[in-house]
Amino acid sequence: MADTVEPAKGPAGRTRWGGLVAIAIGLCVAAGAILGYVYFTNTAPTETEQLAGLRMAIQNHGQYQRMSDRYRDGNDDLLADPPTNLRNPDTLVFAEIATDDPDGDAKKWQPFLDHLAAKTGKKVIFWRPPPPAPSPPSRDEVPTSPAPVATKVAAGSIGTLAQMEALRDGKLHISAFGTGAVTAAVNSAGFIPLFCPAPADGKFGYEMEFITLASGPIQKPEDLKGKTIALVSLTSNSGGRAGLVYLKETVKLVPLRDYQFSYTGSHAASIKAVATGQVDAACVANDLLQSEIEKGTVKAEQIRTIYKSQSFPPLCFGAAYDLDPALMAKIKDAFATFDGLPQIYRNAPRRARFAPVDYKKDWAFVREVDDKLKTIVELN
């Protein structure tokens, strides 16, 4: 992310970035700018830096557990009510969770874009994130050796921020967000969750698992005391926040006091870090763990699960709160009637169809985790 950004006017007379400065901090990995520095210097962060970054991320994340003042919720469904000035754009802009391959993503999703166009009578295009501004390293030369596992930065955090900004500013109409980002998107960008990818029976969900080497000595969560645990980032529910909360609430283990943690940037990297012995354990989404096993990245017999949480909803697709109700109904129909999801998610058999969601009910456990997250800061 660039160090400075020219302000541009957004809705309600606010500056384009003014309302998103804290989101940028809260949605980036816990150490924020500290880890950015560490990434380029290839130096492991100190305990003080880690604690400062964790405090900063948790405190800012907590700001997005309440709805922005720009929205109203008159019916207590925890979603923004439609405004007086509704939109019915000629062109709809669609986004999946941003990756570093927008061309491949656009090609993969073209069948759904065609279906959405047919159902809505609109032109539909695939959203592409703005190119990142270069951020120079703090030294004259960037080390050629790979950054240690403790300092990897989750690139998806920046894409998530850009999607929220685009949705809030009316430049994106239909979008997907990961489980852990949905609440922030609802409260800060007017996101209305509509559908989740689900198995053929429509029963969606995944669990957070703590995993360790099957050949290692760790048998139960209590054995994690004094160990090093891989976290994906604080943007991730199952790869970060849920694991921190479980360890504190149930096992009474506090980060940096009772165990060390490191950031990997992705579930796949956390799984690999466990399999190769770089860390003692990791908290990951078990649907992504199964995907890595099916791809052959890791063998099932290498991994021992020492804890499995209750179910969370997976990534979620939804739309902007201010779309015309008739258009919103057509968008919902497009999701409900699309039968090509197995072709899009070829390596994910649990994603066979779109199933409707109820944000207030389905994200209750996620909101509970987020509410308890602040106690981790208070104990340090």
Side-chain angles (χ1 to χ4, degrees):
M1 186 181 300
D3 293 332
T4 59
V5 181
E6 287 294 325
K9 289 292 182 181
R14 299 185 182 183
T15 61
R16 179 170 175 237
W17 281 84
L20 287 174
V21 172
I23 298 180
I25 300 172
L27 287 175
C28 290
V29 293
I34 295 171
L35 286 189
Y37 168 80
V38 170
Y39 180 86
F40 286 112
T41 61
N42 207 28
T43 303
T46 67
E47 186 170 304
T48 300
E49 289 171 334
Q50 281 190 302
L51 178 57
L54 187 61
R55 284 181 182 274
M56 181 172 60
I58 291 175
Q59 289 167 352
N60 281 280
H61 178 76
Q63 296 181 28
Y64 297 94
Q65 302 318 299
R66 59 176 294 275
M67 186 171 288
S68 167
D69 291 341
R70 70 171 58 235
Y71 307 119
R72 295 291 180 270
D73 174 23
N75 59 0
D76 194 36
D77 62 356
L78 306 184
L79 301 172
D81 298 334
T84 303
N85 298 322
L86 295 167
R87 292 187 298 139
N88 197 338
D90 293 330
T91 299
L92 294 176
V93 184
F94 170 90
E96 222 262 38
I97 296 175
T99 73
D100 58 1
D101 183 19
D103 290 335
D105 294 338
K107 182 178 180 181
K108 180 177 74 170
W109 281 94
Q110 192 58 51
F112 180 71
L113 268 59
D114 293 340
H115 181 72
L116 184 60
K119 287 291 183 177
T120 61
K122 306 283 187 179
K123 179 181 178 181
V124 182
I125 62 175
F126 193 86
W127 178 81
R128 294 171 184 271
S135 180
S138 56
R139 292 184 177 178
D140 293 336
E141 295 183 1
V142 178
T144 56
S145 59
V149 66
T151 65
K152 299 277 184 166
V153 176
S157 301
I158 305 303
T160 298
L161 171 63
Q163 282 178 244
M164 288 190 192
E165 178 201 354
L167 186 71
R168 189 203 67 174
D169 290 351
K171 299 175 182 177
L172 176 62
H173 308 109
I174 305 164
S175 184
F177 290 101
T179 305
V182 167
T183 298
V186 165
N187 289 335
S188 66
F191 179 63
I192 305 297
L194 298 176
F195 288 83
C196 281
D201 62 7
K203 297 179 180 178
F204 56 81
Y206 73 94
E207 293 77 41
M208 180 272 289
E209 294 189 14
F210 269 103
I211 61 172
T212 186
L213 271 178
S215 59
I218 298 173
Q219 300 288 333
K220 57 187 184 299
E222 289 78 6
D223 296 338
L224 295 175
K225 186 170 184 178
K227 306 302 184 183
T228 298
I229 300 171
L231 306 177
V232 173
S233 76
L234 261 291
T235 69
S236 174
N237 177 66
S238 57
R241 302 197 301 266
L244 289 171
V245 168
Y246 168 75
L247 289 178
K248 182 266 171 183
E249 290 285 315
T250 304
V251 194
K252 309 305 179 185
L253 298 182
V254 177
L256 301 178
R257 187 191 74 184
D258 299 313
Y259 63 89
Q260 300 299 310
F261 63 89
S262 59
Y263 296 105
T264 65
S266 73
H267 290 265
S270 288
I271 294 164
K272 182 179 179 180
V274 170
T276 56
Q278 296 180 69
V279 295
D280 298 301
C283 54
V284 297
N286 60 4
D287 60 337
L288 298 180
L289 172 61
Q290 183 60 37
S291 178
E292 292 302 306
I293 291 172
E294 291 172 355
K295 288 188 295 185
T297 306
V298 63
K299 295 179 180 179
E301 56 268 26
Q302 288 180 272
I303 300 299
R304 173 186 296 138
T305 294
I306 58 173
Y307 172 76
K308 180 187 291 187
S309 74
Q310 68 184 75
S311 290
F312 295 101
L315 80 160
C316 179
F317 291 80
Y321 82 112
D322 58 352
L323 296 182
D324 183 276
L327 175 58
M328 185 72 87
K330 293 177 181 179
I331 292 170
K332 290 179 181 179
D333 182 54
F335 277 105
T337 58
F338 183 64
D339 61 5
L341 211 54
Q343 285 69 50
I344 293 176
Y345 291 118
R346 294 181 184 276
N347 295 320
R350 295 179 66 179
R351 297 179 178 181
R353 52 165 288 201
F354 285 116
V357 302
D358 179 333
Y359 173 71
K360 187 172 184 177
K361 175 175 66 72
D362 295 331
W363 264 262
F365 187 30
V366 178
R367 294 193 299 272
E368 178 184 339
V369 166
D370 288 344
D371 186 58
K372 292 178 177 178
L373 192 64
K374 60 181 180 290
T375 66
I376 296 171
V377 176
E378 293 169 359
L379 283 178
N380 280 279

